[in-house]
Amino acid sequence: MIVDCAIYREGHRSEGPRDFSDALDGARAAGGFVWIGLHEPTADEFDLVAREFGLHPLAVEDALKAHQRPKLEVYDDSLFVVLKPVEYEPRSDTVSSGEVMIFLGDSFAVTVRHGEGAPLAAVRQRLEREPELLGEGPTSVLYAVADAVVDHYLDVATELGTDLEELEAEVFTPDGGGSRHTASRIYNFKRQILEFRRATGPLAPPMARLAGVGSYGAGVPFVEDRARPFFRDVHDHLTRVNESVEGLDRLVSDILSAHLAQMSVRQNDDMRKISAWAAMAAIPTMLAGIYGMNFEHMPELRWEWSYPVVIVAMVALEVLVFRLFKRRGWM
């Protein structure tokens, strides 16, 4: 579905014509650019856009099928960037991701969105309130979308950190961590962090390339060199996010290990208690077994005080063993 189509001249909006070819020609003639927004377009809808703007077939295929990793690809007539916005639902501890594809050319920007998360209407409205930034051309669209996606990563990382602290407190309380579902909750939380990492981790090289940091010294086609400081800001935020994700992943792994260790300690305590009770049960069993053998020549059998002596011996030994196990913490 085509969500919006507009021509921007010197940072100000004018409605684009229905014919994309006319829109592109008009934008080039006026020194502006055309921005088309699509949401889960059909093959026929996108085929029209691809033909008019000369988009590369491989990039078009990726944009239609979705399920791509974050990446940046340069073609002869356009730049293709894939971003994965994420949403976090605290009640179900679930991270879900969508996809935003951006085609950038000399006088056009085409954004393709898959999923319900990260609508781009707010990004467009923000840019339209900043005509100076929008006047930088299609590069401003790529920057604004990337900035919005990465800033939301920071919010999601904060929410995940808060929920992980609650889970950690639950595991390490004296009576906590004993639930059957605790291990599954921790493991599920780790899976959500992995889903988050799939969106943030692969995005680092494309952002570094756009920002020109590290070994990426050469410029990127269709991206203005003066936009590099803006992309460096996005890259810095993304670095913070990736560091947070790494920390969350290590912490949840440590929590899972600690929980399993707690469960092992509890099982050992239970086994010691069972062993202690079994040892106490063995004393009367042994004495009763000895005097239940019915041998004819047993000196205590005909003794008048045999029965009370044996009972007193059982009780005394049981008390002695109980106090011994209690002192060692087995009872």
Side-chain angles (χ1 to χ4, degrees):
M1 179 177 63
I2 299 174
V3 178
D4 201 348
C5 175
I7 295 175
Y8 295 91
R9 299 181 179 91
E10 297 181 354
H12 298 283
R13 175 187 177 113
S14 62
E15 296 301 324
R18 291 290 182 180
D19 191 329
F20 296 144
S21 180
D22 293 341
L24 184 57
D25 292 340
R28 285 173 175 167
F33 72 97
V34 59
W35 180 3
I36 298 175
L38 302 101
H39 178 230
E40 297 182 355
T42 64
D44 292 337
E45 288 174 337
F46 202 66
D47 182 62
L48 177 61
V49 177
R51 283 189 286 106
E52 293 295 345
F53 292 96
L55 304 181
H56 196 280
L58 292 177
V60 171
E61 182 181 358
D62 289 346
L64 286 174
K65 291 185 177 180
H67 303 294
Q68 304 296 314
R69 298 174 75 250
K71 61 182 179 179
L72 183 154
E73 295 181 353
V74 179
Y75 297 102
D76 292 336
D77 299 323
S78 63
L79 182 72
F80 180 58
V81 179
V82 178
L83 305 172
K84 291 182 75 69
V86 298
E87 294 291 335
Y88 179 59
E89 177 52 54
R91 294 183 180 179
S92 58
D93 294 339
T94 303
V95 173
S96 59
S97 62
E99 289 185 40
V100 173
M101 286 84 165
I102 305 169
F103 294 88
L104 225 61
D106 58 346
S107 299
F108 68 87
V110 178
T111 54
V112 183
R113 182 168 60 90
H114 290 270
E116 297 302 324
L120 299 181
V123 176
R124 189 184 289 262
Q125 292 169 5
R126 169 198 164 191
L127 275 176
E128 290 176 354
R129 290 193 298 267
E130 301 180 28
E132 292 183 359
L133 178 59
L134 192 55
E136 296 295 329
T139 302
S140 63
V141 176
L142 176 58
Y143 160 70
V145 174
D147 185 54
V149 170
V150 173
D151 281 350
H152 193 59
Y153 286 166
L154 290 169
D155 297 335
V156 172
T158 301
E159 293 177 357
L160 282 170
T162 300
D163 285 356
L164 187 57
E165 288 176 0
E166 295 175 359
L167 183 59
E168 182 182 19
E170 176 185 335
V171 169
F172 288 104
T173 53
D175 298 329
S179 172
R180 298 179 181 179
H181 305 294
T182 302
S184 62
R185 282 189 59 202
I186 297 173
Y187 185 72
N188 178 68
F189 205 93
K190 189 173 180 65
R191 288 185 63 86
Q192 304 313 312
I193 293 176
L194 177 61
E195 181 69 20
F196 190 23
R197 175 183 281 179
R198 287 173 180 166
T200 64
L203 186 58
M207 283 297 110
R209 187 175 177 184
L210 290 169
V213 299
S215 59
Y216 300 102
V220 179
F222 310 107
V223 175
E224 300 290 340
D225 288 341
R226 58 178 176 269
R228 284 191 171 189
F230 295 95
F231 286 109
R232 277 199 293 270
D233 181 64
V234 177
H235 180 264
D236 289 343
H237 290 177
L238 182 62
T239 301
R240 286 173 51 196
V241 171
N242 283 324
E243 290 174 351
S244 298
V245 172
E246 289 291 337
L248 290 172
D249 187 58
R250 288 195 298 268
L251 185 57
V252 75
S253 296
D254 292 342
I255 291 174
L256 180 59
S257 299
H259 172 68
L260 295 177
Q262 284 181 326
M263 296 299 292
S264 178
V265 169
R266 290 191 182 97
Q267 290 176 352
N268 289 337
D269 288 341
D270 293 341
M271 288 303 300
R272 284 190 299 181
K273 291 179 181 179
I274 293 172
S275 300
W277 286 109
M280 293 178 62
I283 294 173
T285 301
M286 180 189 67
L287 293 178
I290 291 174
Y291 288 100
M293 291 186 292
N294 295 322
F295 290 135
E296 182 176 354
H297 300 290
M298 293 183 70
E300 295 88 356
L301 291 179
R302 300 184 182 278
W303 186 33
E304 182 178 357
W305 297 98
S306 297
Y307 178 75
V309 168
V310 170
I311 296 298
V312 170
M314 287 183 183
V315 173
L317 289 173
E318 290 288 340
V319 172
L320 179 63
V321 172
F322 178 81
R323 293 185 62 181
L324 177 63
F325 287 152
K326 188 73 173 179
R327 184 180 304 170
R328 294 185 176 181
W330 285 33
M331 301 294 290

